[in-house]
């Protein structure tokens, strides 16, 4: 595969190709050493601190962060190269994923110098992990329906009460970026919301695991029992939380994880067909899925290019997430119905195990990061259709 955004982001093709080759060599060595087994949805459930630290030592985390904070000062497209290679290989990247994907850019853009110095070096080294405290019980995809409240006390610290839910990785995170109401009432919707950085664990913050159908517990319910988080917790401007969150969601919704979660399964099926032979129908199915993946990749790359230029491609990011999450599920269903392999969680055939794991993760694809219905509303408003 080649990238074609030289003039847009100022990165020459030779550098892109060299970087991609280096990452592939690294992944081949890791696979040969048996440090991981390719898995679908590895950015959600593949928690491996040692693997994340090795990526950090290679300089492949915090790619777009300034060097003074431990980053590499590279382009968004160069970061894209690394993330798509890791995802396509099914590498265990969940430990650092949220921190590197959107918390680092958010802290760089809105944080104080003290916050940058405190958190960014650890993110860039793959040793500091973050969770995102956005969704709340009974709110569905209505992100603005925030009832969690942060009150400024007399000594300048913040006291937080409320509950967040579906909080990925909170049980292993070193910190959480929380969206809370600091002013007004829930009826004010987007107004009066602020972001705060909350260090974890905390004696007054209860983290309860939420087990998914595969038995994993990477989601959590997080309950704040009047937790005091100190005077330096506010991230950015008080009352500007909604605007800050919207800018960060472009990073969350547009990345290659929005269509590559099931790419390890697609690659494994291609290898399986090469080994046992493919019918004409299977070849057509494989070709169709590959073409859709290529189109989504071009869309996601365009978002990376616009972010590199300082843009805010919210609408295109929502489109990538909507179409990409549908594609992820379609990959699983197409392969399940076209393959003669019976999906089993424990099987001597790695392909059967991979298929079974992917099937168990499929229900979450169109929910996390905003349901498809919400995303389509964002696209419609952005295009002036509503």
């Amino acid at each position: 595969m080649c990238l074609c955004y030289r003039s847009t982001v100022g990165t020459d093709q030779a550098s892109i190709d060299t970087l991609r080759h280096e990452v592939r060599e690294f992944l081949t060595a890791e696979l040969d050493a048996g440090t991981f087994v390719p898995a679908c949805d590895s950015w959600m459930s593949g928690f491996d601190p040692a693997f994340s630290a090795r990526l950090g030592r290679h300089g492949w985390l915090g790619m777009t962060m300034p060097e003074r904070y431990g980053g590499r000062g590279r382009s968004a497209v160069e970061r894209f190269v690394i993330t798509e290679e890791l995802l396509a290989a099914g590498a265990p990247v969940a430990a650092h994923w949220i921190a590197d994907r959107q918390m680092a850019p958010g802290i760089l853009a809105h944080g104080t110098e003290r916050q940058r110095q405190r958190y960014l070096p650890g993110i860039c080294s793959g040793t500091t992990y973050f969770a995102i405290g956005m969704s709340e019980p009974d709110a569905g995809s209505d992100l603005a329906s925030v009832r969690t409240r942060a009150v400024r006390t007399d000594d300048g610290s913040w006291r937080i009460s409320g509950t967040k839910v579906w909080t990925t990785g909170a049980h292993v995170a070193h910190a959480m970026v929380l969206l809370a109401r600091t002013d007004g009432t829930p009826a004010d919707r987007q107004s009066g919301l602020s972001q705060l950085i909350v260090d974890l664990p905390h004696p007054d913050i209860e983290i309860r695991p939420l087990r998914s159908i595969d038995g994993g517990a990477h989601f959590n319910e997080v309950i704040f029992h009047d937790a005091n988080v100190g005077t330096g917790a506010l991230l950015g401007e008080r009352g500007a939380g909604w605007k800050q969150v919207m800018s960060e969601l472009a990073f969350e919704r547009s990345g290659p994880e929005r269509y590559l979660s099931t790419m390890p399964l697609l690659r494994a099926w291609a290898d399986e067909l090469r080994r046992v032979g493919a019918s004409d129908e299977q070849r057509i199915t494989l070709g169709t899925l590959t073409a859709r993946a290529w189109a989504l990749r071009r869309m996601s790359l365009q978002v990376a290019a616009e972010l590199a230029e300082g843009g805010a491609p919210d609408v295109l990011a929502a489109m990538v997430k909507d179409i990409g999450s549908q594609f992820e599920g379609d990959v699983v269903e197409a392969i399940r119905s076209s393959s003669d392999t019976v999906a089993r969680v424990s099987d001597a055939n790695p392909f059967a195990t991979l298929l079974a794991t992917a099937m168990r993760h499929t229900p979450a694809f169109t929910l996390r990061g905003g349901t498809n219905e919400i995303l389509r509303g964002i696209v419609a408003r952005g295009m002036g259709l509503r």
Side-chain angles (χ1 to χ4, degrees):
M1 294 182 181
C2 69
L3 302 176
C4 304
Y5 282 87
R6 292 190 293 270
S7 61
T8 306
V9 297
T11 303
D12 65 272
Q13 193 62 44
S15 297
I16 290 291
D17 293 341
T18 298
L19 179 60
R20 189 180 297 281
H21 179 71
E22 291 173 355
V23 178
R24 288 183 177 178
E25 280 195 331
F26 167 80
L27 288 169
T28 298
E30 291 284 315
L31 285 168
D32 289 345
T35 63
F36 76 92
V37 175
C40 292
D41 227 16
S42 60
W43 64 276
M44 286 288 288
S45 55
F47 184 83
D48 187 336
F51 187 88
S52 293
R54 287 196 293 276
L55 292 177
R57 288 195 292 271
H58 276 80
W60 292 337
L61 301 180
M63 284 283 288
T64 62
M65 295 296 103
E67 293 182 7
R68 65 182 179 276
Y69 299 124
R72 295 290 165 155
R74 306 284 286 272
S75 73
V77 172
E78 287 173 294
R79 181 184 179 277
F80 189 100
V81 169
I82 293 170
T83 56
E84 73 170 348
E85 290 296 332
L86 293 170
L87 291 168
V93 295
H96 69 265
W97 196 260
I98 290 172
D100 182 64
R101 179 183 66 187
Q102 70 199 91
M103 293 301 92
I107 292 171
L108 181 65
H110 309 297
T112 64
E113 184 60 25
R114 183 177 180 180
Q115 289 171 334
R116 294 170 184 168
Q117 293 285 355
R118 179 173 182 178
Y119 297 108
L120 293 182
I123 294 175
C124 294
S125 66
T127 57
T128 297
Y129 319 135
F130 267 77
I132 306 172
M134 289 189 187
S135 300
E136 298 200 355
D138 304 318
S141 290
D142 185 5
L143 184 58
S145 182
V146 174
R147 292 177 293 183
T148 296
R149 181 169 290 276
V151 178
R152 197 73 181 258
T153 64
D154 292 340
D155 65 0
S157 63
W158 295 91
R159 188 176 66 251
I160 304 172
S161 59
T163 302
K164 295 293 180 177
V165 74
W166 310 121
T167 311
T168 304
H171 60 303
V172 291
H174 299 102
M176 169 193 290
V177 172
L178 176 74
L179 182 64
R181 181 162 298 285
T182 53
D183 303 280
T185 69
D188 294 319
R189 305 289 293 165
Q190 293 95 334
S191 299
L193 300 178
S194 303
Q195 286 185 301
L196 298 97
I197 302 180
V198 179
D199 289 332
L200 296 172
H202 188 290
D204 297 320
I205 299 176
E206 182 181 359
I207 299 175
R208 299 175 178 175
L210 297 173
R211 295 203 175 273
S212 53
I213 193 173
D214 64 352
H218 48 273
F219 293 127
N220 298 274
E221 180 182 40
V222 182
I223 306 169
F224 297 83
H225 299 286
D226 288 331
N228 188 297
V229 296
T231 60
L234 183 67
L235 176 62
E237 181 183 347
R238 179 169 177 169
W242 183 260
K243 181 180 178 181
Q244 292 173 196
V245 164
M246 289 301 103
S247 67
E248 293 166 9
L249 284 176
F251 293 97
E252 178 177 349
R253 289 172 171 166
S254 66
E257 70 270 28
R258 294 309 177 188
Y259 61 93
L260 289 182
S261 292
T262 52
M263 183 57 65
L265 177 64
L266 185 60
R267 295 177 69 178
W269 189 47
D271 290 340
E272 186 84 354
L273 294 179
R274 188 179 298 112
R275 183 178 65 84
V276 302
S279 66
D280 289 342
E281 182 178 352
Q282 288 173 325
R283 290 191 185 93
I284 291 171
T285 299
L286 179 61
T288 300
L289 293 173
T290 302
R292 289 177 63 186
W294 186 260
L296 279 161
R297 180 174 183 268
R298 300 298 297 179
M299 293 174 66
S300 187
L301 266 169
Q302 183 60 43
V303 176
E306 292 187 25
L307 288 171
E309 292 184 334
D314 301 345
V315 174
L316 183 56
M319 291 177 67
V320 171
K321 200 280 178 184
D322 177 17
I323 302 172
S325 60
Q326 291 181 76
F327 169 74
E328 289 179 324
D330 289 347
V331 167
V332 178
E333 178 56 26
I335 293 175
R336 185 201 64 78
S337 60
S338 300
S339 173
D340 295 329
T341 301
V342 177
R344 292 189 178 92
V345 175
S346 298
D347 196 280
N349 180 1
F351 174 67
T353 301
L354 193 60
L355 177 57
T357 302
M359 289 173 63
R360 290 187 169 198
H361 281 245
T362 297
F365 293 159
T366 57
L367 297 176
R368 61 196 185 196
T371 66
N372 287 37
E373 291 77 10
I374 293 294
L375 294 169
R376 289 164 193 169
I378 294 171
V379 173
R381 285 190 295 273
M383 298 177 69
L385 301 178
R386 289 179 59 181

